[in-house]
Amino acid sequence: MITRQIMVSFLLSLSVLGASVASSAAVQTSASSAAATVAARPAGDQARPRIGLVLGGGGARGFAHIGVLKVLEENRIPVDCVVGTSIGSLVGAAYAAGRSSEEMTQRIQAANWDDLLSSSLPRQINSYRKKNDDALGLIGLELGLGDDLSIKLPNAAISTQKIEFFLRELTYAGTVRHFDDLPVQYRAVATDLVTGQMVVFEDGDIVTAMRASMAVPGVFPAVNSKDYVLVDGGLVRNMPIDVARQTCADVVIAIDVGAEPLKREELNSIFSVADQYTRLMMVQNVKPQLDSLTADDVLISPQLGSMSSSDFKKSAEMIKAGELAALVALPQLQRYAVSAGQFASWSQNRLGRHLQSRAIASVEVKNPNQVNPAVLENALEVKTGEPLDLPEFHKNLATVYARGDFSQLDYELHRKGGDDELHILPIEKSWGPNYLNFGIGVGTDFRGSTPWTISAMYRRTWINSLGAEWKTLARVGTTEEIRSEFYQPLHLDGLAFIAPYVSYKTEPLSLWLDGKQFGDYEYRRLTAGVDLGSTLTKYGEARLGPVLNLYKLKENIGIPLFDGGSARDLGVHASLFYDQLDNYFFPSDGEYLNLNAYLSVKNGSDINHYFRLGGEFRTARKLASGAGVLTVRAQEQVGEAPDFVDIRWLGGFLNMSSYRYQELLANRFLYASLQYYQPTSLLPKSYWGLALEGAHLFEQLNAYDEKRWRSSAAAYLAYDSFLGPIYLGMAYGDNAMWSAYFMLGKQF
């Protein structure tokens, strides 16, 4: 697996190759037409030199900046302006907004960086239609399909949606007219991706400035601000010392957290070479800045060793490294220390004037191109005349984002009089509204059964203003299937919808008698129906509608147990789904319920109707260092259906694991399992697990004996991979048989 560090370095290198950026060609461009003003200093402080703090870029290594700030605070060294690039813009903005180093340390260390740097939101808040696709086990890469059938790729690997929420809280959800109005003057450096020019933010929305400065090309989305397409400022000025001098500085304290060039022996792959290219490009724009330092300036270079730009979990070590580096430089820094009284006055002024959330005077929503803007207006419910309720507002934003229509749901705050204006900036997926997903699955039971599938799903979203969607799934392999549905909401919120659908599926059906295979069939089913239903927001949906099923069973080899040929079955189908699991395959919290009922009103047999009721319930809870999952499945049938109509079976991994796949055919059964699994140290998101299973077969279609109760136990290793769940398991049961499985995806 490619680590996040390698991915970031590789993508950044490619972007630098295409940007034609060099430090000699960089042109400083203000992001505002307003002239910079000189912020007032506390009384009695006019004689000392003005100190500009320069915080360089370096990914997670930039957490060392916080350790330096801690030493500056402890030794009474005030800062008059702070200029940051990339991660330096994050730390600098928090400090300029009024956060102390202690507050920053607490928030940085408490943050779940794996989650913040993930584009996915908690599964529970996803729309049910999106959750319903999880069972397909598709690869987690969504592609676009152009009208000319060209493939379109996402423009960034990671959405900054959750990072933006974190930055808002870090800066008190406040804003100012100009960054000189902050407790400490602030500047953020970004790069215009179109021209390669340096862009210096000195006003506007502070979080927009932070996001633009941190937008590593190809990794995070570029930020469109005014007339610029903005990406990471490290491309042109990773150490913006000249910007600090232009802003306020008589003296510069510069903190360099950039990574050193790799050594010759470390250049051993295409990724390390690409990483080296990035590092050398950074060196080229950093060197002139460092050469401009004078004897009055102070350069601090924390010793971060092998800690990389992606080691966000090592924030404590990096903060400590910054603190130690500042202590080494303390003799130089103490030249700029002030008296206890002066520092107390400066500190009180900085902390006391921290950013504050003001009342929202007005809300402006930029209309999207495809998505009905009422989706945003109805969901966000921002009240004017009072400060923004940040947790509630972020929750509502996340709910809309979870629909899957937007790559970002950005917003900006702009000061108007004594209040703030809220600008909501929805950014639709540039690769939509036609989407493609693919999946692959293979498996073996090491005894001759090797199922495999390749899947593709096409979605066309927002066909009309109510959000109609056409979804088609195709599979080839051991099982072949094509299924298509047109989903038409009758209300924008999906409270009512109508969904015509059609599907065709062919799959092998093995015939087992008392543990021995006697036959092999090809089982085909054509289904067409129309459902009227209601989407229960993120929780689930209910459906009811007529359905026509055409069945065909063809014997390949073996003895005929079923009446061969074809059958027709017309009936009414009803279903109810509820899904609040936090993970479909490896849940640790939540419940899942699927209830379905079918009433046959006419079929090809002598019996005109039968009734079938079935369902599945799963509940998951955290237990010790792992999770426990209880699963119950059952089906009851009243009346007699033709033998091969809607055949159901047990057997296969985690479906009576000690029995062969399809070994137990039964239309009336009760199944239950209890699993426990916990993470391993082998790989992230890898588990070992145990399962106990039991089943009662009220009527088994392929057995001579009358044995009704069955049991099985399984142990397995599993990995929740990018391609889908991977399992390696073994099982033993009351049939006195051992079974072994390997699977990518749920193939048995």
Side-chain angles (χ1 to χ4, degrees), residues 258-520:
E260 293 290 328
L262 296 172
K263 298 178 181 178
R264 182 171 184 172
E265 59 271 17
E266 296 174 310
L267 300 174
N268 50 22
S269 72
I270 184 176
F271 301 110
S272 62
V273 171
D275 185 19
Q276 180 77 330
Y277 183 86
T278 303
R279 297 185 187 210
L280 294 177
M281 286 296 294
M282 294 294 182
V283 168
Q284 294 305 308
N285 77 60
V286 167
K287 187 177 185 302
Q289 298 297 306
L290 297 183
D291 288 345
S292 72
L293 294 174
T294 70
D296 293 329
D297 302 319
V298 181
L299 174 63
I300 301 174
S301 300
Q303 299 302 302
L304 298 168
S306 62
M307 288 185 282
S308 76
S309 59
S310 62
D311 285 334
F312 288 89
K313 293 182 179 179
K314 296 182 179 179
S315 59
E317 295 97 311
M318 294 182 186
I319 291 172
K320 187 64 176 178
E323 185 177 351
L324 293 174
L327 290 173
V328 171
L330 191 56
Q332 294 173 276
L333 293 172
Q334 284 177 329
R335 293 177 293 176
Y336 306 112
V338 298
S339 67
Q342 285 179 311
F343 188 80
S345 176
W346 176 86
S347 182
Q348 184 178 7
N349 179 64
R350 187 179 76 84
L351 299 178
R353 292 177 52 231
H354 71 72
L355 271 181
Q356 295 183 18
S357 181
R358 303 292 183 91
I360 300 299
S362 62
V363 180
E364 177 183 323
V365 180
K366 178 183 176 182
N367 285 343
N369 296 321
Q370 297 284 342
V371 180
N372 191 330
V375 168
L376 290 164
E377 296 166 1
N378 294 343
L380 298 182
E381 300 178 347
V382 177
K383 296 179 181 179
T384 58
E386 58 184 62
L388 196 63
D389 184 341
L390 202 64
E392 184 66 20
F393 180 60
H394 284 176
K395 177 183 175 182
N396 292 338
L397 272 180
T399 299
V400 177
Y401 176 75
R403 292 174 56 98
D405 300 315
F406 303 101
S407 60
Q408 292 279 131
L409 264 178
D410 299 332
Y411 69 95
E412 294 183 345
L413 296 169
H414 296 275
R415 182 60 49 83
K416 181 181 180 181
D419 297 332
D420 292 342
E421 290 181 333
L422 174 63
H423 297 178
I424 299 171
L425 309 172
I427 302 174
E428 292 172 288
K429 292 179 176 178
S430 60
W431 58 101
N434 298 286
Y435 302 103
L436 285 174
N437 293 85
F438 296 93
I440 184 171
V442 293
T444 179
D445 63 358
F446 301 99
R447 290 189 289 183
S449 183
T450 56
W452 64 275
T453 58
I454 297 176
S455 306
M457 185 175 72
Y458 165 79
R459 288 189 305 128
R460 171 64 168 92
T461 62
W462 287 99
I463 296 174
N464 55 41
S465 61
L466 289 176
E469 179 182 85
W470 179 30
K471 181 186 294 185
T472 298
L473 174 72
R475 290 185 176 184
V476 296
T478 309
T479 296
E480 298 182 349
E481 178 182 14
I482 184 165
R483 184 169 71 215
S484 190
E485 177 187 81
F486 187 84
Y487 171 82
Q488 176 61 68
L490 303 179
H491 303 274
L492 187 61
D493 57 6
L495 185 61
F497 66 83
I498 188 169
Y501 61 92
V502 62
S503 70
Y504 177 76
K505 185 176 184 179
T506 177
E507 60 186 322
L509 176 63
S510 298
L511 173 60
W512 296 82
L513 287 175
D514 297 326
K516 297 181 180 180
Q517 185 174 4
F518 282 91
D520 181 70

Side-chain angles (χ1 to χ4, degrees), residues 650 656 670-674 692-696 709-712:
L650 298 173
M656 297 305 296
L670 173 65
Y671 166 88
S673 73
L674 185 62
L692 297 176
E693 304 174 273
H696 185 271
W709 285 99
R710 314 274 179 163
S711 61
S712 180

Side-chain angles (χ1 to χ4, degrees), residues 701-719:
L701 303 179
N702 59 334
Y704 297 130
D705 63 46
E706 295 298 321
K707 186 176 183 180
R708 301 295 178 89
W709 285 99
R710 314 274 179 163
S711 61
S712 180
Y716 58 86
L717 291 174
Y719 174 46

